[in-house]
Each structure stands twice: as C-alpha cells, then as structure tokens.
Amino acid sequence: MKRVVAFVLLLGCGLAALKFAIGDEVAVQTTDPRAKRPTQDRPEGPGGVRVDSGSINTTVSQSGRLVFPRRRDVDMGDGRIRKETVFVLRAEDSAPIGDGLQQLTDVTLEIYDDDAPAATVTASRAFLELGRDANGQPRFDEQKEVDLRDAVVVSLPGSRLAGMRLELGDAKVKVGEEQIELTTAPDQAVRFTLQGRRTATLTGAGARARLPRDKRAGMQRATVTILSNPRLETDDLDVRAAGRMRYVENMASGAARITLEEDVELDLSRGRLAMPGTEGEGASAVRGDQFTGWLLRAREPAMDLPASKARSGDMVWQRLALQGAPASVDMPGVKVETPRITVRPGPFGDPYVVTAHGGGSRVEQTELRAGSRQADVVTGYSPRRIHLMRPGDVVGALHRAMGFPRWTTRPIDRQQVVRFVGSSRLESGARQLTASEGMVVARRSGRETGVVRAMGDVDVVQKPREDDPSTPALRASGNDGLLLIVTSEQERLRVGPSRDDGAARWRDHRYSVQQGDARLNGVGTCEVVRTGDRSEIALSAPFDEIEADFGQDGTELRGVRQLRAQLSGREVTALDVGGLPVRGELVQDGQRVRVQAPRLRQIGPRSLQLLPMAVDEAPWTELQGIDRLPRLRRSWGSTDDDAKRYEVDVFSPRIDLHDVGGRAALVDAHADDDQPARIYAKLPQIGSSEPATVSCEAGRLRLLPYAVAPVAAAAHFGGGGPLRAIAGHAIARPWLLVDDVRGFELDDDQQGHIEGTGKTLLISQGGGAALFVGDPDAQAPAVVTRLHEGREVVVRGARVRVRTGDEVRLSALGTFDGRSTLLAPTMTLHEPGERGLLSHMQAMCRGDIHVEPRAVRFSGPVEAFSLRPDGQPDPEGLHIDARELTMQRQESTGRVSVIEGDDVVVDWTRIDARAASVELDLLRETCVASDPKAATISTPDGRELRSPRISVNYVTWEVSMGPGSARQAQKSVDGDVER
C-alpha cells in the first residue's frame, strides 16, 4: 500500500513540474482521432521523459496538442522584474518517439522581440528533445537543435525583419540567447524572399541562416547563406551563380548586402535597373566572378508613396557590384568588359550610375540601331573606371514625386550619360578621341545626337575613310578639354573652354588643328564644325597668338587674333582673319609674297583681301602707323644677292590678291578718302649694282602677272619668229595698271629720276614701258618729269609714254584713246646752272612730242620758246613756230645742238627767220633758212635777207645766200623803222 501511495505522489509531482515548465496550457491532450497521424521517420523507442528519484525510476510522456511558451526575467533597474516572452512553441499534435525525443506535428514557433511577435517558424513536423532541469523536472532545452520538416520562416509586419520569408524544407533550428540558427542539408532546395513594394527572391540549394532574437543583444545582423546554385530575382534584376550566396542585414539600419560567387550572370534588362539604353530592347547579360548588392530595407514608409499605401520593409537598392577577370556585360548593341561593375541606384531605387572599374574597362558598341545614319560603332576605354548614368532616374523621379506628369520629364528620362575616368580613349571607325583626365558622353535614346565632353589634354583624330581615301585627315588637340556634338548632319567640336567659361581659362588654353595640309595652332578658343568633307574653323586669341599654315597653298599666317576658315577637302574655300596685324607669307616656286593687315579675308577660291579692321574697339584702335594699313610684299629672283632680287611692296586701305596659277598673282590695291594706295618696287638692273626703285600713290593699283596668259599667248602667237618673241617679252610679263595717279617716281642710277601723274598709268615690265593717261573728262593732261644728270624734262599730254631700257624715251601724245578731242602736249626743259640758248625752254605742240636720247621730235604744229631759270618766258630768248620740228641733242651731254623744222618762224633778239625749212645749229651758231619761194632772215641791225637759201652766223653775222635781195631798214625820227 505504501508503494502505491509513493508512486501516485511521484506521478503528481512530475505532472506539476511539467505544468510549471509549459505554463497554463494543457501539456498532454487526447489525440484528435480526425488528425492525420505523423509519419514516423525517426526510430521508435520508449516515449516520455525519464524521471529518477531514489529507488523510483519512471518515465513521464505527453501527447496531443502542445503549447510551450518561453519567458524570461528582465531587470527594470529599480528592483522590479518584468516577465518578457521570448518565444511560444505550438504543435497541433505531439508524441514521444524515443528517450526524451518528442515529435511535433503542424508546428508553429512564434519568436518575440521586445515582448512583441517578430517572426514565425512553421513546419509540418518537428523533432525535439525534452531535457530535465536541476530538479529533474522535464523541460524544453532551447540550446539544442530542432529538426523541422517543410520549415518556413516568416517575419511579421512591423518587426525589424518585416517582409522576410525563408522556405527551408528540411531544416534544423537552434534558438540561442541572442540568435536563432537555421541550417539545411547542402542539397536541400531553399527559397528566401524579401517582400515589400519591391520583392526579392533568392533560391538555391542548402542554406544557413542566423536571425537575431533580441535587439539589446550584441548580435544585430541577420545572415542568410545559400550554399550552391543561388539565384536572385527581383522586379529589377536576375542574378545566377554557381557558388554561394550570402545575405547580411543590419537590423539597426536596415542596410543589407547580398553576395553571389562563381560564374555569376546578371540580367539587368527589366524594371528600373535596366542598363542605360536597353529599355525594351532585349536582355542584358552581365557575367563575372562575384556579385555584391547593397540595399536598404525601409523602417519607415517610402517617401514617394502616400502614407496609407506605404509599407515598412520596402527594399531600395543602394549599389550593385560585379567583379571578374574580367566581368562582361552583353546588352543589345553594347558590350562592356571590366574587372568590376557597380550599379548605384538613385534615391528612389532607380540605377543612377552603373560603373565599370577595378582596372582597365572597355565599352564597345556591337551593332548599329536600325535606321541610324551612324556609319561606325563606338568603342570606349578607360584605365580606371567608366560610369553609365541616367540623370532622369533622379531628376525625373523627383519631379514625378512632386506631381509632374511623366510626359514632362520624358526628355530627361531618355538621357543617357557615360563618363570615362582617367586617361580615356573613344574610337568610332576612323575617328579616335583621347583625354588625359576623362570624358563624358551623353545622348538621348533613339536619337542621332551625341555629346562628348573631354577633360585635360585632349586629342581628336579623324583619319581618311577606307571608302574615300581622298578625304583629308582631321586632327585637333588642346590642353584644357573639348566639347564634341555629333548629329546626323554635322559634327561640332570646341577644343578648350569658351570665353563664357571664365575670364582666365580660355586665355591659358593651347591647341592645334590640322586638316589635310592645313595646320592651325595658338592660344584661346577653337571651334570646328564639320559637315561631310567640309570644315568650318573659328579661332580666337587673347592677343595675337594664332598661327596658320595652309600647306599646299603655301600660305602661312602669324600674329592672328581671330580666324574664321572653311575648308572643303584639302582646299581653303573661305577665310576671314584678324590680327594686330596679321602677318602672312605665301611661297610658290621660289616667289615669296608677304602680307600684313589688321584683317585678311578670302573672297574667292584663290583670292585674298587685305583690309583695315572696321571695328572701332581695342585692341585694333591701338595699332599705329603702318600697322593700321594692309601691306603686301612680293619678292623673287636671287636669294643670295639683294641687288639681284625683285621686290614689290604695296600699301593700301584695301588690297585684293588673286592667285592665277603657277607662281603668278594679281594684286589689286584700293585707296579710300583718307589714304591712297601705294606701291614701292626694287628692280635689279643689268650692269648696275644698285637696283631701280619705283614708287607710286594712286586711287587704285593693279599689279598683273601678265596681260595675256602664257597659254593664250602660245595659242595666238604659236611657232617661232619675232612675233612670238615680242609676245613672250611683253604681254606675257607683269603689268602695273594704276588709276587716279597721284604720284609716280622711278629712280635708276643710270636713267635718273622719273615722276608722273595722271588719271591712269599702265606699266609693262616686259616692254619696259609706261603709259600715263590724263583725264579726258576734265581735259587734264598726264604729266611726266625726268631728272637726269641735272637736267629736268617735263612733258604733258593726253597720254605720256615712257620707255626705258638702255635709254629713256618720252612721248607726249595729244589725243585720248577712242576720243577725237585734242589736248596739246607740252615739253619743258630746265638745266639748272646752265645759260645755253635752250637750257630752259618750253614747247607746245598740236601733234605729238617725242623726247629721245638724241633728239626731241614735234610731229605737229609747235611753238617753242626759251624760259628763264625761274620758269617764266624769256623776252630775249628764242621763240619758234613750226609745222614740224626736231631738236637734235648731243649724245655726250644731251643738250640741244641743232633745231630743224618745216614752215618755221623764228623770233629771237639775235635773229628772225621765216622759211619752209629752218635749221638752227647751236654748236656752229648758224641759222640756215630754205624756201623755194624765198626764205627771209632779219638781223638785229635792220637787214632783211630774202633768198631760197640763206645761211647766217648769228654771232659774226657772216651771211651766205643764193640769188635774192637784201635791204637795210632806216629808223625814223620818232624811232620807227622804215624800210
């Protein structure tokens, strides 16, 4: 009887202990006969918890529905203790299957955080051990693993793990003081889901998870590891790998990191993480060795959702990284190769920046968009990193969050930007662009327009195309970046900063541009617009630091401040240059043409115009003296001896220069109201060490290389003979045509000094002649003056011809070409210091006057008379009227020695003569008059001689005459002469 009582007491104590351990819930319930009996995959054994007490050994077991809460004491700090729930284990059915081993069915494990439900673990079955406490009472040992079947871990809304779901299949769970550990077999299929406004799903084989239990504990990270073949799927991306996947989340901040390893393949073709430029164009495969994603799981409602729709646990990507050896990205039409790829979404989760980095990175366009006019694919390289950006994902999302309709941000949404960091290179067909400090490429999706901004030292090379080798290469470089805008129609290149970028930067920028044989370099701004094979170049310098060399054209420009040029292929078709002044040089076949002007402008395919700068502003207002006017200097001939070198220097307010082929050029200089056109030339002379010099001031000067082109001359004067020689010597040699001649001077140490004025002047170098033409409308004559050996000869006429060579000949013509008006020529002679009969004289002729080395010929009625040295008529001098007259000159002295004329009247204080022919020999001091009708000579003593021929020595008064008469005139009382 005592033994029975002891057994009952012991059994009661065991039930009380079990009740104390599991709380107020029923510890052992009758099994529901409708419940499905659990599958027994554990070995059967004696059930229950064994209890040993002295000599009594027994086993306590329970079955049926089970509820096991776990609470702990929390010190409140003021001596009070609060009970806090740690977890609650529930099972719809339970049964012992071995010594201390309990099988639970339809299990739910509720995990609490700060005495509030945080997560739930469910399983179809669970196997756990019931341990004993210090008093031998049955209890659940939470430090031991619980074997679960079909395990699912779900975080509860409002908890720190909100939105997390783990589908583990067969797993083991261990609830520790600070964390819960879950593990599966390596081949167990698992599924990890992060739910929210965006959902992420991770699947694979095998898993280990560590979830924090208490926010006051040191363990504040949730870690989930998938052992093999992981796959990460979100609304925005799809990542696969062969190695492990590791998810780590900081429970305090919500920041998380996902890492996948080995043979990683990333698809960014969907959602808002699509790579720039791939929207709706197909998949984009990214391959590498390791993928890392950083995201933030919101603890508060998302800022771009109304509060009623916001949910905590929303996932926002912070950064994605993929690395490999190398990693690669295959997108429609684009391929990226790089050691590492990082994606940085914007504040709303959109991918603001995709970065290729970790070493040398390469972006290559693999195909052209259908319908695109782009001729070649583009390849970019950076030794450091390449950023692919979509500004619209930040700016557009912000505007949409503020209520702007989506169509208003569409241009921004389509914007795509690629930034190359460090020494970068961009290639497209025959074009290559390099930059020492990186570059930025921007374009709009579906558009032909693209913009490239390069920094640092830059270089652009456009090689000739393979299908058109004749297209000249273009190269531009600078030391302060560039801006390139490419459209379907043209390319606009700005090398260096613009003047609007800052007052100092553009002044320090150095650049060079080369197209074909044309080269330009300088300091300041540089812009090139290229359309097909045509380029328009605009340069601007702070002062005069631009230099230009146009290669085959032989044009070199220096001292340029601003330049506008248009090149078509290898030919310069338009040019406008300003400088302080511009200095240029053209070299062709040994001939050198130097130009200088404040402004130089091309007015034809092979024509230049030199002008003053019309703007009345600094720095052109600071130009002084000769620098204010255009100037042209041309030289040819000997390069060793200046005396044998031809030089022509032209000054004028406007000079036009026309290249007419070979080494021939036409110079056209124009005057204005204030400044005449001027020319100065040095011409070598045979037999003299000093060159002849020519200077002229006029309203217009035209220097022609020939009157008739050599080809035309050969066609008209073909063959040999004198005619061809004359043509080749005269009309095929240079000519000078001058309008409104205000002053002309020629100096020759052999021929003396020649001056001339007129309305027009024509000079032929080949013919050695010059023609001065007066003004027919104003009846103003041309005037030519020659000074030689102290003798001055002035001739006037409608036209005055000057012939040079071994001897100088002057001709004064009385008529204008094509007009009948007569303008009587005159000739004036002065021999300073001489007192000879005709040392000072003047002749007026109604015909032509020809002044030759040995004679002066008057071909029409002429009146000649002596002058005083001051130029006034000499009342005691010689006066001659004649129908025609010739004055013979001494060869040695040039003085008049003999005067011969027809129908002559001589009126002189020494002698008077009238005859059909008169010869006045100044050397023999003899006058010979001849006339078939009787010549008449009168002497100062009153004798009058009449005879067909009379010879009188006007000094000795020796007379010789033929048959005739002589009579002496008598003076009357009042002084009159009577005959």
Side-chain angles (χ1 to χ4, degrees):
M1 187 64 181
K2 292 179 179 180
R3 293 183 178 179
V4 174
V5 174
F7 175 78
V8 173
L9 291 174
L10 183 59
L11 178 60
C13 291
L15 292 175
L18 180 60
K19 180 176 179 62
F20 177 80
I22 64 176
D24 297 331
E25 297 289 339
V26 178
V28 180
Q29 298 179 352
T30 303
T31 303
D32 188 345
R34 294 172 298 177
K36 182 179 178 180
R37 188 172 184 81
T39 302
Q40 300 293 331
D41 55 358
R42 289 255 186 178
E44 292 289 347
V49 178
R50 187 177 181 82
V51 180
D52 296 329
S53 178
S55 60
I56 299 177
N57 297 322
T58 186
T59 300
V60 180
S61 64
Q62 65 268 2
S63 62
R65 189 169 182 271
L66 174 66
V67 177
F68 184 86
R70 169 71 169 90
R71 295 183 178 87
R72 66 178 178 181
D73 295 336
V74 178
D75 187 357
M76 301 295 290
D78 55 358
R80 293 182 299 162
I81 301 297
R82 179 172 64 87
K83 290 288 186 179
E84 184 179 272
T85 302
V86 178
F87 64 84
V88 176
L89 174 66
R90 303 177 188 272
E92 294 300 324
D93 192 10
S94 65
I97 59 173
D99 187 11
L101 185 64
Q102 192 81 9
Q103 174 179 280
L104 308 181
T105 304
D106 294 336
V107 179
T108 301
L109 177 63
E110 296 179 358
I111 302 173
Y112 284 73
D113 184 5
D114 198 17
D115 210 26
T120 300
V121 181
T122 62
S124 61
R125 286 176 296 157
F127 301 92
L128 56 86
E129 294 183 7
L130 292 177
R132 296 179 299 173
D133 59 15
N135 298 322
Q137 300 300 323
R139 67 179 179 81
F140 172 60
D141 189 354
E142 62 190 64
Q143 295 299 323
K144 293 186 177 181
E145 290 183 340
V146 179
D147 196 352
L148 305 176
R149 299 292 182 269
D150 303 323
V152 178
V153 181
V154 179
S155 61
L156 298 179
S159 69
R160 291 185 297 159
L161 293 173
M164 181 182 295
R165 178 183 176 91
L166 274 169
E167 300 177 26
L168 301 175
D170 296 344
K172 294 181 180 181
V173 59
K174 182 169 66 173
V175 181
E177 286 292 335
E178 296 184 356
Q179 64 185 12
I180 300 174
E181 297 184 15
L182 301 102
T183 60
T184 72
D187 58 351
Q188 173 67 53
V190 297
R191 184 182 186 90
F192 176 33
T193 304
L194 296 172
Q195 295 178 329
R197 190 160 53 95
R198 298 183 181 91
T199 299
T201 301
L202 298 99
T203 59
R208 291 198 300 264
R210 293 182 179 181
L211 306 178
R213 271 187 48 179
D214 187 354
K215 65 181 181 180
R216 291 184 294 271
M219 169 64 179
Q220 290 299 309
R221 293 189 304 172
T223 303
V224 179
T225 302
I226 297 178
L227 302 181
S228 63
N229 298 320
R231 180 177 183 180
L232 168 63
E233 293 181 275
T234 72
D235 297 338
D236 304 313
L237 57 83
D238 185 356
V239 188
R240 301 170 185 262
R244 294 190 175 194
M245 187 283 297
R246 182 177 174 86
Y247 174 85
V248 179
E249 180 177 342
N250 187 306
M251 304 309 297
S253 63
R257 183 179 66 184
I258 300 177
T259 304
L260 291 86
E261 300 177 346
E262 297 183 20
D263 298 331
V264 179
E265 182 174 333
L266 174 64
D267 183 0
L268 293 176
S269 63
R270 59 189 182 183
R272 295 191 294 179
L273 283 179
M275 295 288 281
T278 64
E279 305 91 325
E281 299 182 5
S284 56
V286 184
R287 297 177 179 85
D289 298 326
Q290 184 184 75
F291 167 81
T292 304
W294 288 264
L295 55 87
L296 182 65
R297 290 181 7 97
R299 295 286 177 256
E300 301 296 335
M303 62 180 294
D304 58 345
L305 283 179
S308 60
K309 298 182 180 180
R311 294 173 292 177
S312 62
D314 273 341
M315 180 185 68
V316 178
W317 288 105
Q318 299 296 303
R319 183 158 56 106
L320 305 178
L322 181 75
Q323 63 184 20
S328 65
V329 181
D330 292 308
M331 297 176 286
V334 179
K335 182 177 182 180
V336 181
E337 293 183 352
T338 178
R340 181 176 296 177
I341 294 177
T342 298
V343 181
R344 290 183 174 86
F348 301 101
D350 302 69
Y352 176 57
V353 180
V354 177
T355 303
H357 61 109
S361 301
R362 176 186 178 94
V363 176
E364 179 180 359
Q365 187 180 13
T366 58
E367 61 184 29
L368 300 177
R369 184 174 57 85
S372 173
R373 296 184 181 181
Q374 182 180 346
D376 303 293
V377 297
V378 179
T379 301
Y381 171 82
S382 172
R384 295 176 55 189
R385 60 183 59 201
I386 302 175
H387 300 290
L388 294 87
M389 297 173 283
R390 294 191 304 188
D393 290 336
V394 173
V395 180
L398 180 61
H399 281 73
R400 290 191 295 273
M402 297 176 64
F404 285 82
R406 191 176 186 89
W407 62 267
T408 61
T409 62
R410 189 171 302 160
I412 304 175
D413 293 339
R414 294 181 177 179
Q415 192 72 28
Q416 302 163 3
V417 178
V418 181
R419 181 184 177 189
F420 298 81
V421 179
S423 179
S424 308
R425 183 176 70 251
L426 197 66
E427 297 178 354
S428 177
R431 182 190 296 114
Q432 177 175 296
L433 189 156
T434 59
S436 65
E437 298 179 14
M439 64 183 76
V440 177
V441 181
R443 63 180 292 267
R444 287 180 62 186
S445 178
R447 296 294 182 91
E448 296 292 328
T449 302
V451 179
V452 180
R453 178 67 182 267
M455 283 71 73
D457 295 334
V458 295
D459 189 62
V460 180
V461 178
Q462 175 69 56
K463 299 179 182 177
R465 297 180 57 86
E466 294 182 358
D467 56 352
D468 187 9
S470 63
T471 302
L474 171 65
R475 181 166 190 171
S477 60
N479 67 348
D480 194 3
L482 61 79
L483 177 65
L484 173 64
I485 302 175
V486 180
T487 68
S488 59
E489 303 296 332
Q490 67 179 17
E491 301 171 8
R492 183 178 296 273
L493 172 66
R494 190 191 74 203
V495 183
S498 69
R499 300 185 69 164
D500 298 332
D501 290 343
R505 280 187 58 196
W506 73 281
R507 297 176 179 272
D508 299 326
H509 172 243
R510 303 197 67 88
Y511 62 86
S512 66
V513 178
Q514 177 179 348
Q515 176 168 321
D517 298 322
R519 296 178 177 84
L520 305 101
N521 59 81
V523 176
T525 64
C526 170
E527 294 187 7
V528 181
V529 178
R530 187 174 174 112
T531 305
D533 65 344
R534 189 184 70 213
S535 297
E536 296 179 6
I537 302 174
L539 310 178
S540 180
F543 193 65
D544 60 354
E545 298 91 343
I546 300 174
E547 298 180 353
D549 182 357
F550 293 100
Q552 290 183 350
D553 291 340
T555 303
E556 297 178 2
L557 302 178
R558 303 292 183 267
V560 177
R561 187 172 190 262
Q562 62 185 32
L563 180 146
R564 303 287 186 273
Q566 180 174 297
L567 289 79
S568 181
R570 299 179 181 275
E571 184 177 357
V572 181
T573 57
L575 184 67
D576 195 343
V577 182
L580 302 170
V582 178
R583 293 178 174 85
E585 185 170 295
L586 295 80
V587 180
Q588 296 178 328
D589 298 334
Q591 295 202 44
R592 191 177 301 272
V593 177
R594 296 182 178 90
V595 295
Q596 173 181 308
R599 184 183 181 192
L600 187 149
R601 186 168 66 95
Q602 185 170 355
I603 56 176
R606 304 180 69 85
S607 300
L608 296 177
Q609 189 174 76
L610 281 63
L611 299 166
M613 189 56 70
V615 295
D616 188 16
E617 62 183 29
W620 283 281
T621 54
E622 301 173 6
L623 293 175
Q624 301 294 327
I626 198 172
D627 289 341
R628 299 180 63 89
L629 286 179
R631 179 181 184 184
L632 181 145
R633 291 175 292 169
R634 186 180 183 189
S635 61
W636 67 96
S638 174
T639 58
D640 300 327
D641 189 350
D642 290 341
K644 297 180 180 180
R645 185 167 184 79
Y646 292 86
E647 292 185 4
V648 177
D649 206 344
V650 180
F651 304 85
S652 179
R654 171 185 149 193
I655 301 175
D656 298 340
L657 178 63
H658 307 278
D659 184 356
V660 293
R663 59 181 185 178
L666 186 152
V667 180
D668 190 357
H670 298 257
D672 61 14
D673 295 337
D674 299 324
Q675 295 285 345
R678 297 183 178 92
I679 186 171
Y680 177 80
K682 292 173 59 177
L683 310 174
Q685 299 299 304
I686 299 176
S688 174
S689 60
E690 293 295 328
T693 61
V694 176
S695 63
C696 181
E697 291 187 2
R700 185 179 182 185
L701 294 166
R702 280 167 286 181
L703 184 60
L704 287 67
Y706 38 69
V708 177
V711 175
H716 287 285
F717 306 103
L723 191 60
R724 172 60 188 268
I726 293 173
H729 185 67
I731 63 177
R733 298 289 297 278
W735 290 67
L736 176 63
L737 179 61
V738 184
D739 294 337
D740 187 16
V741 185
R742 304 173 189 177
F744 173 86
E745 294 185 7
L746 183 149
D747 287 283
D748 188 317
D749 64 342
Q750 297 178 349
Q751 305 297 342
H753 175 80
I754 297 177
E755 297 180 359
T757 59
K759 183 67 175 178
T760 304
L761 167 64
L762 182 64
I763 299 177
S764 169
Q765 179 187 352
L771 177 64
F772 292 83
V773 181
D775 188 345
D777 297 326
Q779 287 293 292
V783 180
V784 174
T785 302
R786 185 193 182 199
L787 298 174
H788 181 56
E789 296 179 348
R791 183 181 300 106
E792 178 186 85
V793 178
V794 180
V795 294
R796 293 176 174 85
R799 292 174 291 165
V800 177
R801 183 170 59 234
V802 181
R803 293 183 178 179
T804 60
D806 294 339
E807 297 174 338
V808 175
R809 293 176 171 82
L810 304 177
S811 297
L813 310 179
T815 60
F816 296 99
D817 187 23
R819 298 202 182 191
S820 59
T821 304
L822 176 66
L823 185 62
T826 65
M827 183 201 75
T828 303
L829 172 65
H830 286 286
E831 295 187 46
E834 297 293 334
R835 296 291 182 179
L837 179 61
L838 293 178
S839 297
H840 304 276
M841 66 158 292
Q842 187 176 76
M844 293 179 291
C845 181
R846 291 188 292 276
D848 298 333
I849 301 176
H850 302 283
V851 181
E852 301 173 356
R854 294 173 180 80
V856 179
R857 307 180 189 279
F858 302 90
S859 62
V862 59
E863 179 183 0
F865 52 90
S866 299
L867 299 175
R868 292 177 179 174
D870 61 2
Q872 296 298 318
D874 187 353
E876 297 182 357
L878 180 66
H879 187 282
I880 302 175
D881 279 333
R883 180 171 57 83
E884 290 185 356
L885 189 68
T886 300
M887 296 181 178
Q888 301 291 339
R889 304 175 66 185
Q890 285 183 294
E891 183 175 356
S892 59
T893 63
R895 296 175 183 173
V896 176
S897 59
V898 178
I899 300 175
E900 299 175 326
D902 298 330
D903 295 336
V904 180
V905 175
V906 177
D907 186 1
W908 187 19
T909 56
R910 287 180 173 268
I911 194 171
D912 293 337
R914 292 175 176 82
S917 175
V918 173
E919 177 182 307
L920 190 62
D921 190 338
L922 302 183
L923 296 179
R924 293 184 175 87
E925 300 174 338
T926 302
C927 177
V928 178
S930 302
D931 192 331
K933 297 180 180 181
T936 301
I937 292 179
S938 299
T939 64
D941 58 1
R943 288 181 296 171
E944 182 180 275
L945 307 175
R946 296 177 61 87
S947 174
R949 183 182 185 280
I950 305 173
S951 175
V952 178
N953 186 308
Y954 53 80
V955 175
T956 63
W957 302 110
E958 181 180 346
V959 177
S960 173
M961 57 182 294
S965 64
R967 93 178 163 165
Q968 180 73 42
Q970 299 291 331
K971 289 185 178 182
S972 63
V973 176
D974 58 4
D976 293 335
V977 176
E978 295 182 359
R979 299 184 181 276

